[in-house]
């Protein structure tokens, strides 16, 4: 069914309600279709698998931490002395430690 433009202007709000419910309407002039009124749908970007193939690489040893770095990190952790002022929770990597320091 083709809805005349004059009728569409007069009843636009009602027509939009019908479209919002999923109905597709055809608008026309002199009985000839000129436009479709359809529900709006968000456009999703199409995901293309493999589009970065050949553009990235992962080193074979990416998940191996050298032992000297681990040792230095452990020494840094063990050499920390408790500060007289408690570390704010937002800066402390372990909130349980902060709670323990605050409660004694």
């Amino acid at each position: 069914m083709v809805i005349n433009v004059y009728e569409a202007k007069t009843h636009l709000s009602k027509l939009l309600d019908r479209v919002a419910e999923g109905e597709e309407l055809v608008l026309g002039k002199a009985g000839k279709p000129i436009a479709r009124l359809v529900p709006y749908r968000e456009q999703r970007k199409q995901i293309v698998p493999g589009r970065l193939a050949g553009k990235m690489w992962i080193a074979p040893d990416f998940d191996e931490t050298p032992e000297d770095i681990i040792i230095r990190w452990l020494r840094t952790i063990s050499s920390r002395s408790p500060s007289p002022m408690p570390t704010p929770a937002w800066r402390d990597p372990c909130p349980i430690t902060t709670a323990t320091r605050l409660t004694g």
Side-chain angles (χ1 to χ4, degrees):
M1 175 174 121
V2 178
I3 299 171
N4 190 340
V5 173
Y6 176 78
E7 184 182 342
K9 286 194 295 185
T10 306
H11 302 288
L12 182 61
S13 190
K14 291 178 185 176
L15 293 175
L16 289 176
D17 288 339
R18 288 171 55 183
V19 170
E21 292 174 3
E23 191 175 343
E24 293 188 11
L25 304 174
V26 178
L27 305 179
K29 263 189 177 179
K32 292 185 179 181
I34 57 171
R36 282 183 1 176
L37 196 55
V38 297
Y40 177 78
R41 290 182 181 85
E42 286 287 331
Q43 294 289 328
R44 293 185 65 199
K45 290 186 179 182
Q46 188 173 2
I47 298 172
V48 181
R51 68 180 183 158
L52 296 176
K55 297 180 182 180
M56 297 174 52
W57 64 274
I58 298 175
D61 63 346
F62 83 101
D63 61 346
E64 297 173 12
T65 305
E67 194 171 334
D68 63 318
I69 293 176
I70 294 173
I71 291 170
R72 280 188 290 169
W73 181 75
L74 289 173
R75 283 184 185 148
T76 304
I77 297 295
S78 65
S79 67
R80 289 184 184 171
S81 60
S83 64
M85 298 288 290
T87 305
W90 58 270
R91 293 187 78 192
D92 195 339
C94 180
I96 295 171
T97 308
T98 302
T100 305
R101 273 192 245 137
L102 293 175
T103 58

